[in-house]
């Protein structure tokens, strides 16, 4: 619930506000292996332009999910960010 | 009619009628396991007779009558059920009639109550959540052990054992076959709602396996939810749950791409959302709110789903309202579980779309 709230807040009031909620959740022990947490965190980081952190989060989420389709989607998002990240790097 | 057609017919009738039959029998014999065995006997008789004699005009009624006769025979015969027989005897005396027709009529009037008793029994807190889910799908959803096993990606033997154990647990704990009293009704209803929503979620965003969605499980859960809401029409959260499932199910077609890949909320073609299900969902939501349930957890989640359903484009979404609804939801959730997502709530929710 809190995770969805974070996303809703980020849509209404910007990704930084959402990230605050997510970071507060990240310390929750019961959520350590919950794949949607890094998934959402990755998304918020990407929207804030923190691309390499975002990529790492998507990769972690892909490892945590037990669903093959979900995993493929998360890997694809990490891959897209690699491409975007290297484009940024080349711009210097 | 070819034998295979008749078997299809029997399957379909069974899927629709088995819950009622088991519910009525459970009340007669006072034991869920025996009730299911006797109901199965009636199914076997149908499988033997219908291919030769043809399918009766009212196959559901035929199955019910056959099963009831077997149950009543069993009660009359079985000495160990003496006590139950006395109860039946008393009931018949109270009805001031001892002929079979009046007896049947008495039973028919109570089918809805029996169904409700069966739902509460299958979702009894003495059982583990896994056991409640399996037993509910089996007894109320009319699914075979194999179907449940495939849906949850475990072996048929595991599910069979889970169901047998669950029935034994109910018997050992002397769980009465009844609708809970006022004192624990709220807690017991919330267990029922939880089981139905778990079934829905496993269909909506599978926690494991190769397929992301399993629409058949969603349909089973929706069917159970609609039945429940009719049986307890004054419970706002029952309507709230139906609303939530209807609106989420409206997106099923749009959530999966041509090769089975998930499509997130922002990227979905909203023209593919099922408007009939959305209308049904919004109507159920209105009903829940009218009954004073606006602050219940399922009704709140349905209200969030409704915000998405009403937005023609992702940009039109009323995010401030959604954030406020999540705030209200966070207030409700008991502290130990705060922040913990319900199992199986997958990538949909409000996770923003992939990429720009």
């Amino acid at each position: 619930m809190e995770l969805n709230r974070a996303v809703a807040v980020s849509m209404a009031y910007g990704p930084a506000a959402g990230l605050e909620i997510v970071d507060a959740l990240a310390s929750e022990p019961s959520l350590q292996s919950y794949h949607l947490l890094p998934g959402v965190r990755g998304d918020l980081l990407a929207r804030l332009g923190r691309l390499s952190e975002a990529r790492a989060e998507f990769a972690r989420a892909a490892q945590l999910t037990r669903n093959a389709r979900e995993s493929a989607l998360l890997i694809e998002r990490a891959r897209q960010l690699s491409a975007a990240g290297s484009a940024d790097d080349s711009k210097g | 009619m070819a034998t295979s057609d008749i078997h299809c017919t029997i399957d379909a009738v069974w899927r629709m009628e088995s819950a009622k039959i088991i519910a009525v029998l459970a009340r007669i014999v006072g034991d869920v396991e025996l009730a299911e065995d006797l109901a199965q006997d009636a199914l076997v008789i149908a499988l033997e007779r219908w291919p030769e004699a043809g399918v009766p005009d009212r196959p559901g009624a035929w199955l019910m009558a056959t099963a009831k006769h077997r149950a009543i025979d069993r009660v009359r015969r079985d000495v160990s059920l003496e006590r139950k027989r006395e109860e039946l005897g008393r009931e018949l005396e109270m009805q001031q009639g001892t002929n079979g027709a009046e007896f049947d009529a008495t039973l028919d009037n109570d089918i809805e109550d029996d169904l409700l008793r069966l739902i509460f029994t299958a979702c009894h807190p003495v059982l583990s959540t896994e056991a409640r889910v399996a037993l509910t799908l089996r007894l109320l959803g009319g699914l075979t052990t194999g179907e449940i096993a495939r849906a949850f990606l475990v072996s048929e033997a595991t599910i069979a054992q889970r169901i047998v154990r669950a029935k034994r647990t109910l018997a050992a704990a002397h769980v009465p076959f009844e609708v809970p009293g006022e004192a624990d009704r709220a807690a017991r209803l919330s267990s029922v709602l939880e089981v139905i929503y778990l079934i829905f979620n496993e269909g909506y965003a599978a926690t494991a396996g190769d397929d992301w969605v399993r629409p058949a499980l969603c349909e089973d859960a929706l069917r159970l939810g609609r039945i429940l809401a009719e049986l307890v029409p004054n419970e706002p959260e029952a309507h709230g749950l139906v609303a939530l499932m209807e609106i989420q199910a409206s997106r099923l077609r749009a959530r999966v791409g041509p090769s089975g890949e998930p499509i997130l909320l922002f990227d979905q073609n909203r023209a593919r959302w099922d408007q009939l299900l959305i209308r049904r969902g919004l109507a159920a939501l209105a009903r829940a709110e009218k009954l004073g349930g606006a602050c219940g957890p399922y009704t709140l989640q349905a209200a969030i789903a409704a915000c998405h359903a009403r937005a023609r484009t992702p940009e039109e979404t009323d995010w401030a309202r959604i954030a406020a609804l999540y705030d209200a939801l966070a207030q409700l959730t008991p502290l130990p579980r705060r922040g913990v997502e319900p199992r199986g709530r997958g990538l949909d929710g409000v996770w923003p779309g992939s990429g720009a």
Side-chain angles (χ1 to χ4, degrees):
Chain A
M1 286 308 135
E2 285 289 286
L3 203 50
N4 281 331
R5 186 169 78 91
V7 177
V9 165
S10 82
M11 295 309 294
Y13 310 108
L19 192 60
E20 262 179 48
I21 300 175
V22 172
D23 285 348
L25 283 178
S27 56
E28 183 103 16
S30 59
L31 288 179
Q32 286 309 308
S33 61
Y34 185 57
H35 67 279
L36 288 188
L37 187 64
V40 169
R41 192 160 189 277
D43 202 84
L44 296 174
L45 288 167
R47 282 164 57 200
L48 287 166
R50 291 158 63 177
L51 301 185
S52 59
E53 287 170 82
R55 193 169 58 225
E57 291 287 11
F58 283 128
R60 202 160 82 82
Q63 284 168 345
L64 286 173
T65 179
R66 285 161 56 224
N67 184 289
R69 298 291 187 184
E70 237 172 51
S71 177
L73 180 100
L74 289 160
I75 290 168
E76 171 62 17
R77 292 221 55 193
R79 201 191 56 75
Q80 281 173 2
L81 284 174
S82 327
S86 53
D88 279 357
D89 292 345
S90 66
K91 270 185 256 163
Chain B
M1 203 187 290
T3 304
S4 61
D5 290 342
I6 290 184
H7 284 179
C8 281
T9 307
I10 295 175
D11 272 352
V13 173
W14 182 251
R15 186 68 60 109
M16 283 187 291
E17 303 291 336
S18 62
K20 286 183 215 159
I21 296 171
I22 294 169
V24 168
L25 298 196
R27 191 168 69 92
I28 298 175
V29 300
D31 179 273
V32 169
E33 184 165 23
L34 180 56
E36 202 198 351
D37 284 348
L38 290 165
Q40 290 284 345
D41 287 350
L43 176 66
V44 171
I45 295 173
L47 285 166
E48 284 168 0
R49 288 204 192 148
W50 293 3
E52 281 175 30
V55 176
D57 290 341
R58 294 169 57 219
W62 189 98
L63 277 172
M64 178 69 92
T66 305
K68 272 198 305 204
H69 285 132
R70 290 189 74 82
I72 292 163
D73 281 351
R74 175 69 185 241
V75 171
R76 284 184 181 142
R77 220 176 43 219
D78 200 332
V79 182
S80 71
L81 288 170
E82 186 68 34
R83 191 180 56 79
K84 198 70 205 171
R85 189 165 69 179
E86 282 169 15
E87 276 178 24
L88 275 180
R90 275 200 300 279
E91 187 174 331
L92 290 173
E93 280 168 26
M94 278 162 62
Q95 298 297 321
Q96 293 186 336
T98 48
N99 67 56
E102 282 187 29
F103 183 61
D104 281 358
T106 312
L107 289 177
D108 284 342
N109 291 338
D110 290 333
I111 288 183
E112 288 204 340
D113 289 341
D114 288 340
L115 210 47
L116 196 55
R117 289 186 186 103
L118 186 62
I119 293 177
F120 276 112
T121 305
C123 297
H124 195 279
V126 77
L127 303 171
S128 72
T129 306
E130 275 181 339
R132 288 179 217 172
V133 166
L135 202 56
T136 300
L137 282 173
R138 169 80 191 202
L139 297 180
L140 290 144
L143 268 65
T144 65
T145 311
E147 285 168 329
I148 301 169
R150 280 194 293 283
F152 288 91
L153 304 165
V154 292
S155 75
E156 208 170 325
T158 303
I159 290 291
Q161 202 178 31
R162 197 175 285 171
I163 290 173
V164 168
R165 280 206 194 124
K167 288 187 289 200
R168 301 271 153 87
T169 305
L170 289 175
H174 300 292
V175 168
F177 188 66
E178 65 185 21
V179 173
E182 209 52 49
D184 50 353
R185 187 176 166 103
R188 295 283 304 277
L189 182 67
S190 112
S191 171
V192 174
L193 297 174
E194 183 191 5
V195 167
I196 295 176
Y197 195 45
L198 268 175
I199 295 169
F200 182 87
N201 259 327
E202 193 53 36
Y204 196 64
T207 48
D210 293 333
D211 297 318
W212 196 43
V213 294
R214 305 201 192 96
L217 268 183
C218 292
E219 280 163 27
D220 289 324
L222 249 178
R223 192 158 52 89
L224 290 171
R226 288 172 186 154
I227 291 172
L228 178 71
E230 275 180 33
L231 293 174
V232 290
N234 295 319
E235 294 286 354
E237 280 287 271
H239 297 289
L241 175 62
V242 170
L244 175 60
M245 294 193 296
E246 303 266 18
I247 296 174
Q248 288 191 325
S250 76
R251 303 200 284 262
L252 270 171
R253 269 185 313 196
R255 294 181 86 229
V256 182
S259 50
E261 73 278 15
I263 302 178
L264 300 175
L265 192 57
F266 277 22
D267 302 328
Q268 288 170 14
N269 175 359
R270 295 185 178 216
R272 300 198 67 205
W273 287 0
D274 187 325
Q275 291 300 322
L276 175 65
L277 287 177
I278 290 177
R279 278 198 300 278
R280 291 182 72 138
L282 294 176
L285 176 60
R287 207 165 159 192
E289 287 171 344
K290 202 174 164 189
L291 287 165
C295 292
Y298 292 104
T299 306
L300 279 172
Q301 290 180 77
I304 292 166
C307 286
H308 294 301
R310 289 190 185 107
R312 273 169 302 174
T313 63
E315 293 72 28
E316 274 183 32
T317 311
D318 187 348
W319 287 106
R321 175 164 163 75
I322 292 176
L325 288 165
Y326 273 119
D327 269 341
L329 205 50
Q331 306 294 323
L332 280 185
T333 317
L335 276 173
R337 292 193 56 189
R338 252 191 99 162
V340 180
E341 299 283 302
R343 181 178 154 276
R345 173 124 186 121
L347 284 171
D348 186 60
V350 287
W351 203 49
S354 57

